[in-house]
Amino acid sequence: MTLTAFQTLIRSVEYLTLFAGAGGALFLAMVLHEERRLVARLQPGLLLLAGVAGSAAILDVGLHGAALAAEPAGLLTGRAWLAGLASPRGLTSSVIVAGMGFVALAVAARGAVAAMLASVAGAALSALALAFGSEASLDDPAWLSFAMVLLHGLASLTLVGAVWPLLVTLTTQPAETCVRILRTGRPVLATALAVVLATGILLSPLGISDPDAVTGTSYGLLWLAKVLLSAILVALLARQAYHRTSLLRRVDDSPRSMRGRVLIDGLVLAALVVVSVVMEVTQGSNPYQE
């Protein structure tokens, strides 16, 4: 495995667990805070996700430093780690570790208010780290690009973070509880999806300014794959809108039928995260990004 492939793998794990951990803690605080038994069931998993994300972020610093030096074996030397820490990746990883610390605090918090504050801080720091790591946040006007990337990241981790708690809910909880959680979470997730789509549409031209780049470069093909996955996600959610509405009108075992739909949504979201990571790692090879 090449250094770039290994770096892509580690960063994919880092971002997937980051999204699931920070977004999951936020979903628990915003939607599930009254479901104490369900929250207790989910908390150990959130701690594991936060630990994996933080560890992967630390390893990513050394990998990035080794990549800068073009020395795969440099990961074993202090020079690569110092180079990684001195690079923008060092700041991004440091913010991720801090964000995961707040996720752990949200899990350990005894009060609903403390858990909410810690989870919001963890999500905000995670979104800030994503903005620091994105080249799109540097485009003019920089303040507007940075704000859009920040909002895009915050809404994205809200969507991704909801998948696992919803799967556990639909698998283990009574139908009445499932309906209540779906009713409470629907406006949160609908708002997050709208923000993701709006900011994604606005940010797309920043990465691809020439139509020839879409099919003429590997970066353009990745961009096209991301657009197609986004369209698939929207189509899936649109198709499910009627089903979710009908579920809220009756209480029976039908919420169980949503597990497969939520799982498919989660897989599409995970694919979007991985494609975004590959685009980020290969950003330097994008000839259309100033």
Side-chain angles (χ1 to χ4, degrees):
M1 180 181 291
T2 65
L3 180 60
T4 300
F6 187 49
Q7 186 179 10
T8 302
L9 174 63
I10 295 300
R11 194 168 297 178
S12 296
V13 172
E14 174 187 351
Y15 279 13
L16 285 171
T17 52
L18 168 74
F19 276 67
L26 189 62
F27 190 78
L28 261 64
M30 295 178 65
V31 178
L32 303 180
H33 57 277
E34 295 183 354
E35 310 294 335
R36 294 185 179 181
R37 291 185 179 180
L38 179 58
V39 169
R41 183 190 292 267
L42 293 167
Q43 284 176 333
L46 286 178
L47 284 177
L48 177 61
L49 289 168
V52 173
S55 300
I58 293 172
L59 180 57
D60 197 12
V61 173
L63 288 171
H64 188 68
L68 290 175
E71 298 178 1
L75 185 62
L76 303 177
T77 67
R79 184 174 60 181
W81 289 92
L82 289 175
L85 281 173
S87 71
R89 192 70 221 170
L91 175 61
T92 298
S93 294
S94 298
V95 176
I96 288 175
V97 171
M100 293 304 96
F102 276 101
V103 169
L105 287 176
V107 172
R110 296 186 178 277
V113 175
M116 172 65 80
L117 291 175
S119 62
V120 168
L125 286 172
S126 299
L128 191 63
L130 295 172
F132 284 149
S134 173
E135 291 286 341
S137 64
L138 302 177
D139 288 275
D140 292 327
W143 67 268
L144 181 59
S145 298
F146 188 88
M148 285 196 297
V149 173
L150 186 65
L151 285 174
H152 188 79
L154 186 60
S156 296
L157 65 86
T158 301
L159 286 177
V160 176
V163 172
W164 173 54
L166 283 177
L167 285 174
V168 174
T169 298
L170 294 169
T171 301
T172 65
Q173 300 303 300
E176 294 85 352
T177 302
C178 293
V179 170
R180 183 171 63 252
I181 291 172
L182 288 171
R183 182 179 290 115
T184 304
R186 184 171 61 172
V188 174
L189 298 179
T191 302
L193 178 62
V195 173
V196 167
L197 293 177
T199 53
I201 290 172
L202 292 173
L203 288 168
S204 290
L206 300 180
I208 300 290
S209 57
D210 190 326
D212 293 336
V214 175
T215 57
T217 65
S218 59
Y219 185 92
L221 292 175
L222 288 169
W223 178 86
L224 183 60
K226 189 173 181 180
V227 171
L228 291 175
L229 285 170
S230 299
I232 291 172
L233 179 63
V234 172
L236 287 171
L237 294 176
R239 183 175 181 273
Q240 294 168 19
Y242 170 76
H243 295 285
R244 286 196 176 117
T245 301
S246 64
L247 289 177
L248 298 179
R249 292 174 180 168
R250 66 184 189 275
V251 179
D252 51 27
D253 290 333
S254 56
R256 301 292 186 269
S257 66
M258 286 200 63
R259 283 181 297 184
R261 300 187 185 102
V262 172
L263 179 59
I264 292 174
D265 293 345
L267 291 175
V268 175
L269 286 167
L272 278 166
V273 172
V274 172
V275 171
S276 299
V277 167
V278 176
M279 292 175 71
E280 181 179 304
V281 173
T282 60
Q283 186 79 31
S285 62
N286 177 15
Y288 297 94
Q289 183 72 43
E290 296 296 335

Short mmCIF file of all heavy atoms in Angstrom, two decimals, residues 86-120:
data_model
loop_
_atom_site.label_atom_id
_atom_site.label_comp_id
_atom_site.label_asym_id
_atom_site.label_seq_id
_atom_site.Cartn_x
_atom_site.Cartn_y
_atom_site.Cartn_z
N ALA A 86 3.67 21.35 12.07
CA ALA A 86 3.89 22.71 11.59
C ALA A 86 3.03 23.05 10.39
O ALA A 86 2.88 24.22 10.04
CB ALA A 86 5.37 22.92 11.24
N SER A 87 2.44 22.05 9.76
CA SER A 87 1.62 22.25 8.57
C SER A 87 0.18 22.56 8.98
O SER A 87 -0.20 22.38 10.14
CB SER A 87 1.65 21.01 7.69
OG SER A 87 0.92 19.95 8.31
N PRO A 88 -0.65 23.02 8.04
CA PRO A 88 -2.07 23.23 8.36
C PRO A 88 -2.76 21.98 8.88
O PRO A 88 -3.72 22.07 9.65
CB PRO A 88 -2.66 23.67 7.01
CG PRO A 88 -1.51 24.31 6.29
CD PRO A 88 -0.32 23.50 6.68
N ARG A 89 -2.26 20.80 8.49
CA ARG A 89 -2.86 19.56 8.98
C ARG A 89 -2.70 19.42 10.49
O ARG A 89 -3.55 18.83 11.16
CB ARG A 89 -2.20 18.37 8.29
CG ARG A 89 -2.92 17.06 8.50
CD ARG A 89 -4.23 17.06 7.74
NE ARG A 89 -5.31 16.46 8.48
CZ ARG A 89 -6.59 16.53 8.11
NH1 ARG A 89 -6.92 17.18 7.02
NH2 ARG A 89 -7.52 15.96 8.83
N GLY A 90 -1.61 19.96 11.01
CA GLY A 90 -1.39 19.91 12.45
C GLY A 90 -2.48 20.66 13.20
O GLY A 90 -2.98 20.19 14.23
N LEU A 91 -2.88 21.82 12.68
CA LEU A 91 -3.95 22.60 13.30
C LEU A 91 -5.27 21.85 13.19
O LEU A 91 -6.03 21.76 14.17
CB LEU A 91 -4.05 23.97 12.63
CG LEU A 91 -5.21 24.86 13.10
CD1 LEU A 91 -5.11 25.16 14.58
CD2 LEU A 91 -5.25 26.15 12.28
N THR A 92 -5.55 21.30 12.01
CA THR A 92 -6.80 20.58 11.81
C THR A 92 -6.93 19.40 12.78
O THR A 92 -7.96 19.21 13.43
CB THR A 92 -6.89 20.06 10.36
OG1 THR A 92 -6.87 21.18 9.46
CG2 THR A 92 -8.15 19.26 10.14
N SER A 93 -5.86 18.61 12.89
CA SER A 93 -5.89 17.45 13.78
C SER A 93 -6.01 17.86 15.24
O SER A 93 -6.69 17.20 16.02
CB SER A 93 -4.64 16.60 13.56
OG SER A 93 -4.64 16.02 12.26
N SER A 94 -5.35 18.95 15.60
CA SER A 94 -5.44 19.43 16.99
C SER A 94 -6.87 19.82 17.34
O SER A 94 -7.36 19.52 18.44
CB SER A 94 -4.51 20.62 17.19
OG SER A 94 -3.16 20.26 16.97
N VAL A 95 -7.55 20.49 16.40
CA VAL A 95 -8.95 20.89 16.65
C VAL A 95 -9.84 19.66 16.72
O VAL A 95 -10.79 19.61 17.52
CB VAL A 95 -9.42 21.86 15.55
CG1 VAL A 95 -10.90 22.21 15.75
CG2 VAL A 95 -8.59 23.14 15.58
N ILE A 96 -9.56 18.64 15.89
CA ILE A 96 -10.34 17.40 15.94
C ILE A 96 -10.20 16.73 17.30
O ILE A 96 -11.19 16.29 17.91
CB ILE A 96 -9.90 16.44 14.82
CG1 ILE A 96 -10.38 16.96 13.47
CG2 ILE A 96 -10.44 15.02 15.06
CD1 ILE A 96 -9.91 16.14 12.29
N VAL A 97 -8.98 16.63 17.80
CA VAL A 97 -8.75 16.02 19.11
C VAL A 97 -9.50 16.79 20.20
O VAL A 97 -10.14 16.20 21.08
CB VAL A 97 -7.25 15.95 19.41
CG1 VAL A 97 -7.00 15.51 20.86
CG2 VAL A 97 -6.55 15.00 18.45
N ALA A 98 -9.46 18.13 20.12
CA ALA A 98 -10.20 18.94 21.09
C ALA A 98 -11.70 18.68 20.98
O ALA A 98 -12.41 18.56 22.00
CB ALA A 98 -9.90 20.41 20.88
N GLY A 99 -12.20 18.59 19.75
CA GLY A 99 -13.62 18.33 19.55
C GLY A 99 -14.04 16.99 20.11
O GLY A 99 -15.10 16.86 20.73
N MET A 100 -13.20 15.97 19.93
CA MET A 100 -13.52 14.65 20.46
C MET A 100 -13.47 14.65 21.99
O MET A 100 -14.17 13.89 22.65
CB MET A 100 -12.57 13.60 19.89
CG MET A 100 -12.75 13.36 18.39
SD MET A 100 -14.43 12.89 17.90
CE MET A 100 -15.12 14.48 17.41
N GLY A 101 -12.63 15.52 22.55
CA GLY A 101 -12.62 15.67 24.00
C GLY A 101 -13.96 16.19 24.52
O GLY A 101 -14.48 15.72 25.54
N PHE A 102 -14.55 17.13 23.79
CA PHE A 102 -15.87 17.63 24.18
C PHE A 102 -16.96 16.59 23.97
O PHE A 102 -17.95 16.56 24.72
CB PHE A 102 -16.20 18.91 23.40
CG PHE A 102 -15.63 20.15 24.02
CD1 PHE A 102 -14.48 20.74 23.50
CD2 PHE A 102 -16.23 20.73 25.13
CE1 PHE A 102 -13.95 21.88 24.08
CE2 PHE A 102 -15.71 21.88 25.71
CZ PHE A 102 -14.56 22.45 25.19
N VAL A 103 -16.81 15.74 22.94
CA VAL A 103 -17.77 14.65 22.77
C VAL A 103 -17.72 13.72 23.99
O VAL A 103 -18.76 13.29 24.50
CB VAL A 103 -17.47 13.86 21.48
CG1 VAL A 103 -18.29 12.57 21.42
CG2 VAL A 103 -17.76 14.72 20.25
N ALA A 104 -16.50 13.42 24.46
CA ALA A 104 -16.37 12.59 25.66
C ALA A 104 -17.00 13.27 26.88
O ALA A 104 -17.65 12.62 27.70
CB ALA A 104 -14.89 12.28 25.93
N LEU A 105 -16.83 14.58 26.98
CA LEU A 105 -17.45 15.32 28.08
C LEU A 105 -18.97 15.28 27.99
O LEU A 105 -19.66 15.19 29.00
CB LEU A 105 -16.96 16.78 28.07
CG LEU A 105 -15.53 17.03 28.54
CD1 LEU A 105 -15.18 18.51 28.37
CD2 LEU A 105 -15.34 16.61 29.99
N ALA A 106 -19.50 15.34 26.76
CA ALA A 106 -20.95 15.27 26.58
C ALA A 106 -21.49 13.94 27.05
O ALA A 106 -22.57 13.86 27.64
CB ALA A 106 -21.29 15.50 25.10
N VAL A 107 -20.73 12.86 26.79
CA VAL A 107 -21.15 11.53 27.24
C VAL A 107 -21.11 11.45 28.76
O VAL A 107 -22.01 10.85 29.39
CB VAL A 107 -20.25 10.45 26.61
CG1 VAL A 107 -20.56 9.08 27.22
CG2 VAL A 107 -20.45 10.41 25.10
N ALA A 108 -20.08 12.05 29.36
CA ALA A 108 -19.92 11.96 30.81
C ALA A 108 -20.79 12.94 31.58
O ALA A 108 -20.97 12.79 32.79
CB ALA A 108 -18.45 12.19 31.17
N ALA A 109 -21.35 13.95 30.89
CA ALA A 109 -22.14 14.98 31.57
C ALA A 109 -23.37 14.37 32.23
O ALA A 109 -24.02 13.49 31.67
CB ALA A 109 -22.55 16.06 30.57
N ARG A 110 -23.70 14.85 33.42
CA ARG A 110 -24.84 14.32 34.17
C ARG A 110 -26.13 15.09 33.92
O ARG A 110 -27.22 14.57 34.12
CB ARG A 110 -24.52 14.32 35.67
CG ARG A 110 -23.36 13.40 36.03
CD ARG A 110 -23.17 13.31 37.52
NE ARG A 110 -22.09 12.40 37.88
CZ ARG A 110 -22.22 11.08 37.98
NH1 ARG A 110 -23.39 10.52 37.75
NH2 ARG A 110 -21.19 10.33 38.30
N GLY A 111 -26.02 16.31 33.47
CA GLY A 111 -27.21 17.12 33.22
C GLY A 111 -27.45 17.32 31.74
O GLY A 111 -26.51 17.28 30.93
N ALA A 112 -28.72 17.54 31.37
CA ALA A 112 -29.06 17.72 29.96
C ALA A 112 -28.43 18.98 29.39
O ALA A 112 -27.98 19.00 28.24
CB ALA A 112 -30.58 17.77 29.80
N VAL A 113 -28.40 20.05 30.20
CA VAL A 113 -27.82 21.30 29.72
C VAL A 113 -26.32 21.15 29.48
O VAL A 113 -25.79 21.59 28.45
CB VAL A 113 -28.09 22.43 30.73
CG1 VAL A 113 -27.37 23.71 30.30
CG2 VAL A 113 -29.58 22.69 30.87
N ALA A 114 -25.61 20.51 30.42
CA ALA A 114 -24.17 20.30 30.27
C ALA A 114 -23.88 19.43 29.05
O ALA A 114 -22.93 19.69 28.30
CB ALA A 114 -23.60 19.66 31.53
N ALA A 115 -24.69 18.39 28.85
CA ALA A 115 -24.50 17.51 27.70
C ALA A 115 -24.72 18.27 26.40
O ALA A 115 -23.99 18.08 25.42
CB ALA A 115 -25.44 16.31 27.79
N MET A 116 -25.74 19.12 26.38
CA MET A 116 -26.02 19.91 25.18
C MET A 116 -24.87 20.86 24.87
O MET A 116 -24.41 20.96 23.73
CB MET A 116 -27.32 20.70 25.38
CG MET A 116 -27.62 21.71 24.27
SD MET A 116 -27.93 20.92 22.67
CE MET A 116 -29.64 20.40 22.91
N LEU A 117 -24.38 21.57 25.89
CA LEU A 117 -23.28 22.52 25.68
C LEU A 117 -22.03 21.81 25.18
O LEU A 117 -21.35 22.28 24.26
CB LEU A 117 -22.99 23.28 26.97
CG LEU A 117 -24.06 24.27 27.43
CD1 LEU A 117 -23.70 24.85 28.79
CD2 LEU A 117 -24.28 25.36 26.41
N ALA A 118 -21.69 20.67 25.80
CA ALA A 118 -20.50 19.94 25.39
C ALA A 118 -20.65 19.36 23.99
O ALA A 118 -19.70 19.38 23.20
CB ALA A 118 -20.21 18.82 26.40
N SER A 119 -21.82 18.84 23.66
CA SER A 119 -22.03 18.27 22.33
C SER A 119 -22.00 19.35 21.25
O SER A 119 -21.47 19.13 20.16
CB SER A 119 -23.35 17.50 22.28
OG SER A 119 -24.45 18.36 22.52
N VAL A 120 -22.57 20.52 21.55
CA VAL A 120 -22.53 21.63 20.59
C VAL A 120 -21.08 22.08 20.39
O VAL A 120 -20.65 22.35 19.26
CB VAL A 120 -23.40 22.81 21.08
CG1 VAL A 120 -23.13 24.06 20.26
CG2 VAL A 120 -24.87 22.43 21.00
#
